[in-house]
Amino acid sequence: MTDELRADTFGFRGHPIVRTPHLDALAKDAAVFTNAYTNCPMCAPARVSLATGRYGLSHGVLDNAFAPVEDEVSLYQTMHDHGYRTINYGKTHFNTPGSFGFEENYPRGLFDDGGVSVFGVTDRELLNRSVYKKNEGEVSLIIHGKNPQKPEETADSRVTRAYIDRLDELKDSERPLFYRLSIIDPHTPYFPTEPYASMYHPDDMPLPATWNEDLTSKPLMHRYYYRARGFDRLTEEDYRKSIASYYGLITHVDDRVGQVIARLKELDLYDNSIIVFTSDHGSMMGEHGFIEKWGIMYEEVCRIPLMIKFPRSKYQGSYDSFAEIVDIMPTIMDATGIEVPACVQGTSLMPLLRGDEVAVKTEVFGHIFTGGLQDEPALMIRSGQWKLTLYPGQEQLHDKLLNDHYLKYTPMFLEDVVEGELYHLEDDAQEVHNLFHDPAYRKIRDQLISRLDSWRNELGRIANYRGMERSEKNTVNSYHLMQADNLAKMQRLMSAEGTITQLNR
């Protein structure tokens, strides 16, 4: 499990710059799903959707500030109940009081020397030797730079080493093993160590065509985030450096994957194992002027890598059918002969792999929600080549801001409120031409909105986020602090208690 890793940044996907030889080799042995989507491009919601096989509206983790409703059943608990030894190394971010079914859990914090967090460099001596830039605004993170640590000293490298070393003991386990490695890279900070920091030169990084796009045709939420996060103050050089730093982190991820695969082969575990490689969501690298994520549902954040290597490399090949992060849980259970719980909303990908054409998925769904700014989540559907996202309640965004917010009472809120996005991705892969308010496409827009409504109704009971009192919401407006990798850290970061809210149905 990685974090913030785009689906298109691999050699085996034809990327012309990023070097990923170990993942390229794994892909040759795996079933590769080239149209896999997260159901929310935000950490906790996506990770709980993977764990439960259920959409965020149902399990209750709409953004990083929510905990799952109490009766949610996880993949890890189910595997444990069927005799598997369930062990996690690294980031969880489920917002649960326990480990969500892992009988052993070794969080990333155990391997972190405290020098680098997702928000920046906290060690003064390390800070003195560091070179980096943070975006000047909300959700202020390191968007490019060079980490002076040695590559083996970073927290993710230490987690990976501990995971690999433990294999010597676990290879002889009498119980079947569910063994999870979850690293944060290439999540921010985009702050690679050498040699990765110099591996890709900024001058050689091509910019996306939309890096300085006019956002007037986009929803107000996009325009707000673009300004509030200070992207309007970035230079062309900043974007090129950010891309180079991000690519360096990806190659570092690839090298760690290579270490894991090499050890599995040395211990004769590779051929008999199911290996799943994925990410919770992707990241923007200058597209539409954005870096990282938050408040948007463009392809760059919604598409995720997903490959599954089966024993003896069965089912290897490329599969173009849609897949969702909620499908991973039922696929693993189906592949291991465990009955999928009736509450699971994802579908197993095994029938597709076995050649059942009826199993081809033609739609994917998702949401994005930041409790400090929205009363209702934005909902997305992709059906065939059409993609629609609804952003309800944007006219209320101005009232959500604290009185001293620098964008409050500014002309930005006099601009047109664009209620959604509609793109035909075959003709407009970069999602430039928003057809949502174009009369010529009203029929297809209304059909997709109707399908979104029916999908929502098909989910059954949903989390009662509408019934929350204002005092229970993220009233401090510090939604940007919610990226820490466990509940205790989040609570310490926040200026008020009770920010992590558990909903009911």
Side-chain angles (χ1 to χ4, degrees), residues 136-264:
E136 299 175 5
E138 295 178 1
V139 203
S140 182
L141 305 167
I142 294 176
I143 57 172
H144 59 74
K146 181 165 66 174
N147 185 340
Q149 292 178 304
K150 297 178 180 178
E152 65 273 13
E153 293 175 343
T154 67
D156 276 352
S157 294
R158 292 175 176 179
V159 171
T160 303
R161 175 47 51 193
Y163 178 93
I164 292 171
D165 291 344
R166 186 78 185 282
L167 282 169
D168 290 339
E169 171 204 337
L170 296 174
K171 65 181 177 62
D172 297 320
S173 174
E174 294 181 358
R175 295 162 55 196
L177 184 65
F178 187 101
Y179 198 40
R180 181 177 184 265
L181 172 63
S182 178
I183 61 177
I184 287 184
D185 282 349
H187 192 293
T188 48
Y190 298 148
F191 187 57
T193 67
E194 291 290 10
Y196 309 99
S198 301
M199 192 169 286
Y200 303 99
H201 196 281
D203 291 346
D204 299 330
M205 300 298 104
L207 289 176
T210 59
W211 74 275
N212 59 350
E213 178 186 21
D214 179 359
L215 297 178
T216 54
S217 69
K218 308 300 185 183
L220 181 60
M221 181 71 76
H222 297 202
R223 287 173 265 158
Y224 165 79
Y225 267 113
Y226 177 75
R227 293 178 173 95
R229 296 197 65 186
F231 297 149
D232 56 341
R233 285 163 267 170
L234 298 183
T235 66
E236 179 177 335
E237 182 183 29
D238 286 324
Y239 287 106
R240 293 187 190 278
K241 286 183 175 180
S242 185
I243 296 169
S245 295
Y246 181 72
Y247 288 174
L249 289 174
I250 292 174
T251 298
H252 198 179
V253 168
D254 182 79
D255 284 347
R256 297 187 189 103
V257 171
Q259 295 169 23
V260 173
I261 297 300
R263 192 63 182 142
L264 289 173

Side-chain angles (χ1 to χ4, degrees), residues 1 7 16 69 173:
M1 186 80 184
V69 293
S173 174

